Amino acid sequence: MHPFQCAVEARDTAAIESSLADDVVFTSPNTFRPHRGKPITAAFLRAVLRVLDDFHYVRQISDSDGDDHVFVFEARIGDVAVFGCDLVHCDGDGKIDDFVVMVRPLSAANALQVAMGAEMERIQHEATMTVESDRKEA
């Protein structure tokens, strides 16, 4: 099992964040353009853990080099079943540097849009606080 999959299934947010490259590009089904950087990506992933119930991976598909992975998942938002996949690419250090989320059916995408929309202020705040903390430490 891939370390990212283990971290997500354990709901270990520190391990999830440590699996991300500093310059990771995150493409969400809920935003128009991709987001760049570990702080915003980690904040999105923490929000996903808050809004998706019964989240679990049902399948992993990887290329022969181990750089590209598809993690197929199932979850719920209230009584709406969510089916989707995380498409990730890992850099030479094994860190995720490209992360795309896809969700279906349309009812699930709509429910996710509403649930994540309610989280956007918190997501932005968490990402900003992380960046400010990193600047103070530097």
Side-chain angles (χ1 to χ4, degrees):
M1 186 181 303
H2 191 275
F4 175 76
Q5 181 179 353
C6 292
V8 171
E9 290 186 347
R11 302 179 74 80
D12 183 343
T13 57
I16 292 169
E17 186 167 350
S18 72
S19 71
L20 303 173
D22 289 338
D23 61 348
V24 60
V25 176
F26 179 71
T27 305
S28 166
N30 297 95
T31 59
F32 178 70
R33 66 190 118 174
H35 299 274
R36 180 175 298 276
K38 184 189 276 192
I40 190 69
T41 302
F44 266 104
L45 295 176
R46 286 189 298 271
V48 166
L49 291 178
R50 290 190 296 268
V51 304
L52 292 180
D53 299 317
D54 300 328
F55 182 96
H56 59 282
Y57 288 113
V58 296
R59 187 172 180 199
Q60 176 186 341
I61 306 164
S62 301
D63 71 347
S64 59
D65 294 332
D67 295 335
D68 291 292
H69 308 276
V70 177
F71 301 105
V72 180
F73 64 84
E74 293 176 346
R76 286 182 311 97
I77 300 174
D79 62 351
V80 177
V82 179
F83 180 80
C85 59
D86 297 332
L87 293 83
V88 302
H89 178 270
C90 297
D91 64 16
D93 295 325
K95 302 286 186 177
I96 297 171
D97 62 2
D98 189 46
F99 194 121
V100 177
V101 180
M102 303 182 89
V103 172
R104 66 169 311 279
L106 182 57
S107 59
N110 290 337
L112 186 62
Q113 176 73 31
V114 171
M116 290 299 286
E119 292 283 326
M120 284 307 294
E121 187 174 323
R122 183 173 177 181
I123 291 167
Q124 291 293 338
H125 176 73
E126 287 180 7
T128 301
M129 295 305 294
T130 300
V131 170
E132 288 176 7
S133 176
D134 289 349
R135 284 186 190 144
K136 288 179 184 176
E137 291 177 9

